[in-house]
Amino acid sequence: QVQLVESGGGLVQAGDSLRLSCVSSGRTFESFSMGWFRQAPGKDREFVAGIRWTGGRTYYGDSVKGRFTISRDNTKNTLYLQMDNLKPEDTAVYYCAQEAPRPSDPDATIYDVAFFGSWGQGTQVTVSS
């Protein structure tokens, strides 16, 4: 079983930056696409960013383009999310996710929850105004 552990969340002011990290226990981490999602109370889980296994292709949700940067270090089995110019609307629990070998929905894309099979416990990010 793959286990993902996020860290780096916290309470910050608008305009501040945070860097989230996600460490995977998987021995073949480098073979899987990875993603970040977030969920605010009463809201659906929202796609934030994704990265292909090579790290050569990245994807971002419209609300974070130009502010967030996803990256990975396969030698450390670690995924990162650099968050700059944070806004109060970024407040949410942020989840790290790893691509499922067999997606529950065969038509799922990296933008979809169903594309991923393993999830971290989440880390809280709170941005005050």
Side-chain angles (χ1 to χ4, degrees), residues 9 16 28 30-31 38 40 43 49-50 53 55 61 66-67 73-74 76 97-98 103 106 112 115-116 123 125:
D16 285 352
T28 56
E30 69 276 7
S31 299
R38 66 188 183 187
K43 301 288 186 178
W53 71 272
R67 298 189 297 119
D73 185 344
N74 290 339
K76 298 179 178 179
Q98 183 169 304
D112 302 321
F115 185 78
F116 299 90
T123 185
V125 172

Side-chain angles (χ1 to χ4, degrees), residues 19-40:
R19 190 193 194 198
L20 306 184
S21 298
C22 169
V23 179
S24 173
S25 67
R27 298 184 184 276
T28 56
F29 171 82
E30 69 276 7
S31 299
F32 295 94
S33 296
M34 301 290 294
W36 288 99
F37 288 75
R38 66 188 183 187
Q39 189 165 23

Side-chain angles (χ1 to χ4, degrees), residues 33-105:
S33 296
M34 301 290 294
W36 288 99
F37 288 75
R38 66 188 183 187
Q39 189 165 23
K43 301 288 186 178
D44 291 333
R45 193 160 294 191
E46 174 191 12
F47 174 80
V48 175
I51 186 167
R52 294 294 185 185
W53 71 272
T54 63
R57 175 78 75 169
T58 57
Y59 309 81
Y60 296 95
D62 289 340
S63 63
V64 306
K65 287 180 180 177
R67 298 189 297 119
F68 291 8
T69 303
I70 188 172
S71 62
R72 66 193 298 166
D73 185 344
N74 290 339
T75 68
K76 298 179 178 179
N77 278 18
T78 302
L79 177 73
Y80 303 99
L81 183 68
Q82 177 67 42
M83 304 184 293
D84 296 323
N85 191 25
L86 283 160
K87 303 176 179 180
E89 51 263 44
D90 294 319
T91 295
V93 177
Y94 283 71
Y95 298 91
C96 170
Q98 183 169 304
E99 177 187 5
R102 295 180 179 273
S104 58
D105 181 352

